[in-house]
Amino acid sequence: ISITTGGVTLPGDIFGIGDNITIFNNSSSSQTITQGTGTTLRYGGSTSTGNRTLAGFGVATILCVGADVFVITGTGLT
């Protein structure tokens, strides 16, 4: 997915375990990746969960690891 405005919301009940989503922020403005209702978005390598900010021209990969449970990693991700 390539975005320039509006960010991304990660919905529940549409991804299966092992599904991957890659997001490229094709702008110089930061974009928000929002944890949708009923989903858990875990920051890779930590116990932190919730919304993440993707810096301008950053890339994030989201991996579905359980029913509505995801892990996010990437460059320019906070």
Side-chain angles (χ1 to χ4, degrees):
I1 300 170
S2 178
I3 60 173
T4 57
T5 61
V8 174
T9 298
L10 186 61
D13 296 329
I14 65 168
F15 296 105
I17 295 171
D19 286 350
N20 286 281
I21 305 102
T22 301
I23 301 168
F24 171 59
N25 181 3
N26 194 13
S27 78
S28 58
S29 299
S30 294
Q31 300 294 320
T32 301
I33 300 172
T34 303
Q35 173 180 279
T37 303
T39 64
T40 299
L41 181 60
R42 182 171 309 283
Y43 191 36
S46 77
T47 59
S48 180
T49 62
N51 300 343
R52 295 285 151 214
T53 300
L54 186 59
F57 304 105
V59 178
T61 299
I62 302 170
L63 172 65
C64 182
V65 295
D68 298 328
V69 179
F70 302 87
V71 174
I72 187 168
T73 61
T75 302
L77 191 63
T78 56

